[in-house]
Amino acid sequence: MKISLPQPFNLKHTLECGQAFRWRLVEGWYFAAVRGQAIKCRQVGGAGNIGGELEFFTAPEPDNAELIRDYFRFDDDLPAILREIDKDDYIHGAIEKYKGLRLLRQEPWECLISYICSAASSVRKIGQDVDRLSAAFGWELCIGGYATHSFPAPEALAGGRTMEICKCGIGFRSGYIHEAAKAVASGRLDLESLQRKKYEDAKRELLEYKGIGEKIADCVLLFSLDKLESFPVDRWIRRAMQGNYAECRDASDRKIRAFAAKHFGRYAGYAQEYIYQYVRGTNQQKRHYIVRR
DNA sequence: TCCCAGGCGAAAG
DNA sequence: CTTTCGCATGGG
């Protein structure tokens, strides 16, 4: 099935920018499990991977276009958002380079556990961790000859022992995940209700749990709870902001977040993701250069 | 062998 | 308030 894409749209940038961890590229098609469905998709037509159509398959529910529209945030008016955050030369460069990158509307429970896994880890390893948790605790999904597993239900991770989670390579984060799973499975932590709360209130609730600090809470709020003003500060964003904005020179993470809110406004989260890609892309090239030398 | 990776919690200054 | 350290694991 094909659906026309909102403009601009770049599937590669959207799926490979490190916001979601389970997408795999096989022979020109992206595969993943999303909200209990296996998805196979690719961008066709359009110029320079901008525009065109999204060709996709879903299973076991066939042709679930509503899932696609919601997950890829077709409801976001990206041109208007980019106009609003395009405040200076630095962010302008990031927007030009990664135009068409869209935030995703991830499932909050999976997003929470994925980002608890992210502490002192790498994008690649987080993907490994989430895949292993899914293989161990989820159920099998297949599409177009590609086999994967759904992300586990809260009850599945809450039911066993911490050690079983640790066996997926989760390390010191295992206890945090087990505790979060028990909170969600029991209903004590209601992630859906956080979607309806204000950013500050939802964040305060997330911060009550061990293993969830400012940065991870902001990621969950931005990537799954529709808080587009959220501006997660990780080590890359810290470096980028301190190095490119005089107001952030020697600034703490709290001051960086305050500056971003003032400077970029209600869509600061979009600015964050463009800057993240921008700084990480250029820096990875630098490191490669150093290693080769 | 050493360093780094989408951090966090605890302890101490 | 800030700084420092340990924390498991995998890849370069």
Side-chain angles (χ1 to χ4, degrees), chain A residues 25-211:
Chain A
L25 182 60
V26 182
E27 295 171 355
W29 291 88
Y30 286 96
F31 294 87
V34 173
R35 304 184 201 172
Q37 300 293 310
I39 300 179
K40 169 183 179 178
C41 66
R42 66 177 177 181
Q43 187 166 6
V44 294
N49 228 19
I50 298 283
E53 296 174 309
L54 190 68
E55 184 177 9
F56 71 93
F57 302 90
T58 61
E61 298 173 7
D63 299 339
N64 193 337
E66 200 43 51
L67 170 65
I68 297 293
R69 291 183 214 283
D70 188 67
Y71 181 72
F72 286 102
R73 301 193 71 103
F74 282 15
D75 48 313
D76 279 344
D77 184 352
L78 192 53
I81 290 171
L82 296 182
R83 241 178 283 128
E84 205 163 312
I85 63 175
D86 194 357
K87 299 284 192 184
D88 58 79
D89 289 345
Y90 183 65
I91 185 75
H92 187 76
I95 291 171
E96 284 304 305
K97 185 165 182 181
Y98 294 103
K99 187 163 285 184
L101 188 165
R102 278 177 181 263
L103 291 177
L104 298 168
R105 186 176 284 113
Q106 300 185 48
E107 201 278 308
W109 155 245
E110 174 176 346
C111 190
L112 175 68
I113 300 305
S114 298
Y115 277 93
I116 292 177
C117 287
S118 77
S121 189
S122 62
V123 172
R124 176 191 292 271
K125 184 179 182 322
I126 299 162
Q128 288 179 354
D129 292 349
V130 179
D131 275 349
R132 284 186 289 227
L133 285 172
S134 300
F137 296 94
W139 59 88
E140 192 172 60
L141 295 169
C142 293
I143 190 161
Y146 181 85
T148 183
H149 293 265
S150 68
F151 188 77
E155 294 75 15
L157 289 184
R161 295 185 170 276
T162 304
M163 193 57 202
E164 301 174 44
I165 294 173
C166 194
K167 283 178 182 166
C168 296
I170 308 300
F172 64 86
R173 314 164 190 86
S174 303
Y176 300 149
I177 288 177
H178 198 194
E179 288 306 310
K182 286 190 276 189
V184 172
S186 72
R188 191 166 86 251
L189 174 56
D190 181 358
L191 294 169
E192 307 300 329
S193 76
L194 298 185
Q195 220 145 14
R196 289 177 256 109
K197 294 183 179 175
K198 289 196 294 189
Y199 166 79
E200 292 80 6
D201 296 333
K203 184 170 181 178
R204 194 178 309 116
E205 195 164 330
L206 288 173
L207 289 175
E208 290 173 14
Y209 295 87
K210 290 196 176 177

Side-chain angles (χ1 to χ4, degrees), chain A residues 250-268:
Chain A
D250 299 322
S252 64
D253 292 353
R254 175 175 294 279
K255 285 178 179 172
I256 292 173
R257 285 193 297 271
F259 169 79
K262 179 167 62 72
H263 187 65
F264 296 118
R266 57 183 168 164
Y267 300 124

